[in-house]
Every structure is written in structure tokens, then in C-alpha cells.
Amino acid sequence: MPLSLYNTLSRRKEAFKPADPSRVTMYVCGPTVYGYTHIGNARPAVVFDVLFRMLRDRYPLVVYARNITDVDDKINAAATRDNVSIDVIAKKFADIWHEDIGALNVLPPSIEPHATDHIPQMLRMIEDLIVRGHAYAAEGHVLFNVPSYPRYGALSGRNRDDMIAGARVEVAPYKKDPADFVLWKPSTPGLPGWDSPWGRGRPGWHIECSAMIDAHLGETIDIHGGGHDLIFPHHENELAQSTCAHGGTPFVGIWMHNGFLTMNREKMSKSVGNIISSREALRSTPGEALRWAILSAHYRQPLDWSDDTTTQAKRTLDRLYGTLDQAADIEESDEEPPEAFTVALEDDLNTPAAMAEISAIARALNTATETAEKARLKGQLLAAGALLGVLQQKPSDWFAAAPKAKLVDVSEVERLIAARTQARAEKNFSEADRFRAALDNLGVVIEDRAEGTKWRMKE
Ligand code: AMP
Ligand code: ZN
């Protein structure tokens, strides 16, 4: 069966035909690491993880790159606030990101490029764009000249006025055209910066992904993914930059975008303030149930998140692990996932339909009487579960696990530490002891050092 995927650019499902079947390439825009990521950010990580698992099953080599954006004005602001360098902030929140999505059974990608490791590649690409007449330097900035690329707007389907409004671009005096966007911008002495032919500065966000794709995957890639909000301006700009820097070579075979995870039908986002961090969600719900909940809607549809979403997911997994537990003494045979399951996933990753097939196999396993039939159905259930990244634990572990007992709500820990520091500064030692006891209850050990209070989890 051919895999068919919806291409945002052509606005239809297309048969997936990699440019080189011996090396399939996929790039997904990862997080900007300046704070705790929310469960909406986990959606693309989980969705493209399922696609990665499917592709690995079919092709000998899949190179999947998911980047870390570790230079950004929001990281600068967090570093200034905490009086540390940007790499301290980036490392802390990249580690937290890995832990959180790891708990959701998201496999590490083949490559995880960091933007700050690719400044020379970005500079080279910017120079190429200038030489080819698609970019120009002005007042310490380098800008991409949008009118130089007539197909600009094809991905997002926006007209010129929408584009200018949507990108919320500054109408700066040094721009030749109001839609022109920044490839490089100057840094003041207090901000991170790198030497460049246009003075000390830092990259614009869009050029980072174009340069990392070029460096690791090549000029043309098979799949480029991310959330729906990245279509414009981020991906529109990546497409313009990469195509123009490569003299017109096609950039991406299939553009894929996941729909939003919402709360009360509003996009979950830090700026709205309606977020549930993955960490917080993991305190009450096992990571695998969060994953199941994320996959319970088709990836292009919005997914409205509520307690009900996670309760349902947990209950379904309890039922499925219950089936596996009943069949614990049956040795599963080596099986492929059943055809209907595979067909569902091949139809633009129809995970809800694939999950319904999983439930159907479980029902058949519940009522099967022949040992050979049970072995076959159990084999199918496990094989299908592996493609979705679920049902791979021992049922006894699933039922025994307190949801991720080792993970704590870091913001709560930091709040308690700050409150204790404040109480100590005010010489209110009984109050300080009360906060220490609260931390102890969470399983957190603290240590007072010259540079501040450090904490770790009890072994
Ligand atoms: P950011 O760090 O905001 O650039 O987001 C990282 C990834 O999460 C991008 O692919 C975004 O499109 C995606 N994303 C952000 N918010 C949501 C949401 N509410 N639902 C689904 N995906 C999201
Ligand atoms: Zn990107």
C-alpha cells in the first residue's frame, strides 16, 4: 500500500515518493528552549514520531532532524532575568524537553541540530542570497527581498497585504519592501552575537532552519513538518530562502502541518496563558496516556484538551493492557500489524481509525479460545502498538506505575525554594523550615551554595 500524505503546498493528499528511497529525509521544527513546553508543543513531536516509526519500517535509512532553537529574543530575556548566559537557559530547558517528550515515548530523532552550532552555515547561505540578488544589507541588517521571489506566498496562500499584516513586520526605513524579512540583525554589546561581514549580530529565526536543513539533510528534503502556526511566516520564509539560495532546486517534497491543541477551542499558547505544561500533565497522567490522547484526533484536526481527553485515554489503555495481562502467559507470534490498521495509517496518518483497529484486535483477543489464535492476535496487537509507540510495557508495570513518580512540578519546586529564600532573608526560620519540609514531601533535596540553592530529586 502506498503511503499518502496531505501536502500543505498542493492542498491535497499525495502518494509519498522519496527523492532517494535509500535515504529518506524529514525535518521538523523543534522548540525554542526558554521555558517549560506545553502539551500543544508535544503534539508535533508525537505526530511526527509516528511518521518516523512508519518510515523506518519501510525504508532502509530515514534521517530525521528535529532542531533546537537555542538563540532567540525570548531566551535572551530569560538569560538576562536570571543573570546567566543563554546556553545555561537553553541547556536547562532542552533537558526538560527531552525528559518530557521521552515520557511520551517519543524516540530521539536521528539528528538534533542546535542553531548556535550552525552560524557559519547561516552566514554562507546569507552571502549566497546576496550574491544571487535575493538579499541586501542595510544598517547592520541583512534582509530577504520578497519581490525577488515571485512564488512567495504559495505555501500559505496569502496575498501581499495579509502577509505584511500577518508577519507583523516592522515597516523599517531600511527595508526596500515592507514584506522583506530579516536574515541577520545587529546585536547590542549586552546581547549574544557573532562576527559577520555586516558587523556583530545574530540570525533571524527562519534562516536557522534553512541552514540546518542544508547542512544535515541536503538541498531537497522529502518531508518538512511543524505546527499549523509555522506555515506563515516561518515556513513560507524558509521555502523562499532555501529555494533562492539553491538556484531554484526544489526544497521540500511534502509539507505537513499539525492542527492546534486547544483549550475551550482556543489555541494553547503561552501568550494566551491557557497552557498545561507537559510536566504538569505528567504528574497526574502517565506519559503513554498523554500520547494516546494526542493521537486520538487526526493530526490535521484541532484537538480540544480537557480532563476528559486524558481520562478516556487512560481508561482505554487500562482496557488494552488488561487484555494483554489476561494473555500474559501466551507467547505472541511474530506478526505484522493487521492490514486495516496499516491502511488507516497510510491514509495520511489516520490515527483515530488505526486506534479503533487496535481496540478491535483486543476485543478479538479477549474472546479467542485457541492458543494459536491468541498468539497471532497478541502478536498483531503488539506490532500495531509499536508503530503508534504504545503497549510496549509489561502490563504489570503499566498497572503498578504511579504516573512518573520521579517527575515533579519544577515550577512548584522553584516557587517553594524562592519562598524559603525569602523567609530566610527575613530571618523567619520557622517559615523557611516549613518550605523545606514541603520540598522534602515532594522528594526534593536542596543544598544551599554561594551561587544559590540547588536541588535534586531524592534517589
Ligand atoms: P514553538 O516553540 O512555539 O516554536 O513551538 C514548537 C512547535 O510546537 C511548533 O511546531 C509549533 O507549531 C507547535 N505548537 C505550538 N503550539 C501548539 C498548539 N497549541 N498545538 C499544536 N502545536 C503547537
Ligand atoms: Zn523551522
Side-chain angles (χ1 to χ4, degrees), residues 10 15 67 84 97-98 126 164 196 202 231 260 269 292 300 387 420-421 429:
S10 66
N67 76 295
V84 292
W97 160 252
H98 289 142
I126 295 171
I164 294 166
S196 83
R202 58 195 198 282
I231 299 175
F260 292 142
S269 93
W292 187 273
R300 284 196 286 123
L387 265 188
R420 174 174 168 271
T421 307
F429 295 111

Side-chain angles (χ1 to χ4, degrees), residues 28-34 37-45 48 69 74 97 205 225-231 234-235 257-262 266-270 274 303:
V28 172
C29 299
T32 305
V33 280
Y34 68 101
T37 54
H38 57 73
I39 197 77
N41 298 130
R43 192 177 191 192
F48 290 103
T69 298
K74 289 179 192 145
W97 160 252
W205 172 35
H228 203 261
D229 51 341
L230 299 189
I231 299 175
H234 186 50
H235 287 169
H257 295 97
N258 63 270
F260 292 142
L261 193 141
T262 58
E266 189 170 18
K267 181 194 173 196
M268 184 177 281
S269 93
K270 264 199 173 161
N274 60 345
L303 165 60

Side-chain angles (χ1 to χ4, degrees), residues 219-263:
E219 294 195 355
T220 304
I221 61 172
D222 295 311
I223 296 169
H224 192 324
H228 203 261
D229 51 341
L230 299 189
I231 299 175
F232 188 85
H234 186 50
H235 287 169
E236 192 75 64
N237 292 355
E238 274 187 43
L239 174 57
Q241 293 160 166
S242 294
T243 312
C244 293
H246 299 142
T249 306
F251 177 37
V252 168
I254 296 197
W255 288 94
M256 293 177 69
H257 295 97
N258 63 270
F260 292 142
L261 193 141
T262 58
M263 289 250 282

Side-chain angles (χ1 to χ4, degrees), residues 106-274:
V106 172
L107 300 169
S110 332
I111 313 170
E112 192 172 60
H114 286 55
T116 54
D117 293 333
H118 297 80
I119 304 288
Q121 288 90 336
M122 294 176 206
L123 293 176
R124 210 172 309 131
M125 196 173 233
I126 295 171
E127 277 171 355
D128 283 350
L129 286 167
I130 294 177
V131 169
R132 289 175 186 269
H134 293 289
Y136 58 96
E139 296 182 24
H141 295 72
V142 182
L143 292 122
F144 183 91
N145 186 223
V146 168
S148 76
Y149 179 58
R151 274 180 292 156
Y152 189 84
L155 182 65
S156 58
R158 288 181 187 227
N159 67 33
R160 231 188 114 70
D161 293 346
D162 291 349
M163 287 189 298
I164 294 166
R168 279 182 249 119
V169 284
E170 259 178 276
V171 183
Y174 48 79
K175 283 189 181 178
K176 287 187 182 167
D177 185 280
D180 291 353
F181 60 86
V182 164
L183 301 171
W184 188 260
K185 55 191 166 190
S187 281
T188 53
L191 286 174
W194 290 264
D195 288 332
S196 83
W198 316 285
R200 185 174 170 279
R202 58 195 198 282
W205 172 35
H206 319 301
I207 196 73
E208 298 174 7
C209 288
S210 282
M212 288 187 274
I213 291 171
D214 197 29
H216 295 280
L217 302 179
E219 294 195 355
T220 304
I221 61 172
D222 295 311
I223 296 169
H224 192 324
H228 203 261
D229 51 341
L230 299 189
I231 299 175
F232 188 85
H234 186 50
H235 287 169
E236 192 75 64
N237 292 355
E238 274 187 43
L239 174 57
Q241 293 160 166
S242 294
T243 312
C244 293
H246 299 142
T249 306
F251 177 37
V252 168
I254 296 197
W255 288 94
M256 293 177 69
H257 295 97
N258 63 270
F260 292 142
L261 193 141
T262 58
M263 289 250 282
N264 299 320
R265 319 245 163 247
E266 189 170 18
K267 181 194 173 196
M268 184 177 281
S269 93
K270 264 199 173 161
S271 52
V272 178
N274 60 345

Side-chain angles (χ1 to χ4, degrees), residues 272-293:
V272 178
N274 60 345
I275 57 168
I276 301 178
S277 68
S278 298
R279 194 133 287 218
E280 201 177 319
L282 283 163
R283 284 210 302 158
S284 54
T285 310
E288 196 167 319
L290 297 177
R291 182 180 178 96
W292 187 273

